[in-house]
Amino acid sequence: QLQASGGGLVQAGGSLRLSCAASGRTFSNYAIGWFRQAPGKEREFVAAISRGGTRTTYADSVKGRFTASRDNADNTVYLQMNSLKPEDTAVYYCGARFTVTGATPATEYAYWGRGTLVTVSS
């Protein structure tokens, strides 16, 4: 089971840190992906982190602004979001993939948690 948290309302240029907490499985066996879905749009890839935390992948739209990390001892993955823009407004979800590395298609992830809303005001 996954649960994303840490969303909220922030002004453009601000920062938020999202958390994805896992329970019930061996967390370190799973790569984790972050996705977001804005109203009226499809879910899109944001970032992924390998199960060991050594490899990360980012969408071009967030590269240089967002950083994914994980603490396997604490069964938690983080998404540090800096220099937020209004277009980053969306519900953010984390997904788990039983493999070494993450992937960009949402269909590659078998487990999903409830999302957390991020709203960036201009």
Side-chain angles (χ1 to χ4, degrees):
Q1 185 175 2
L2 301 174
Q3 177 65 58
S5 63
L9 174 64
V10 64
Q11 288 188 331
S15 298
L16 283 174
R17 189 176 78 158
L18 305 185
S19 299
C20 174
S23 62
R25 300 181 186 273
T26 305
F27 183 67
S28 59
N29 286 340
Y30 294 82
I32 302 295
W34 285 99
F35 290 76
R36 65 188 181 188
Q37 188 165 16
K41 294 188 177 181
E42 293 186 354
R43 190 170 296 192
E44 66 172 357
F45 172 78
V46 174
I49 186 165
S50 62
R51 65 186 185 188
T54 57
R55 294 182 62 179
T56 52
T57 306
Y58 300 96
D60 288 342
S61 59
V62 307
K63 202 171 292 183
R65 300 188 297 122
F66 291 10
T67 302
S69 61
R70 67 190 296 162
D71 182 346
N72 284 341
D74 200 29
N75 286 0
T76 304
V77 169
Y78 302 98
L79 185 67
Q80 178 67 42
M81 306 187 298
N82 299 328
S83 302
L84 282 162
K85 304 175 181 180
E87 51 263 44
D88 294 319
T89 295
V91 177
Y92 283 70
Y93 299 88
C94 55
R97 183 170 185 251
F98 187 65
T99 188
V100 175
T101 58
T104 54
T107 52
E108 292 290 327
Y109 294 82
Y111 307 101
W112 292 91
R114 295 178 64 182
T116 185
L117 176 62
V118 172
T119 304
V120 184
S121 63
S122 57

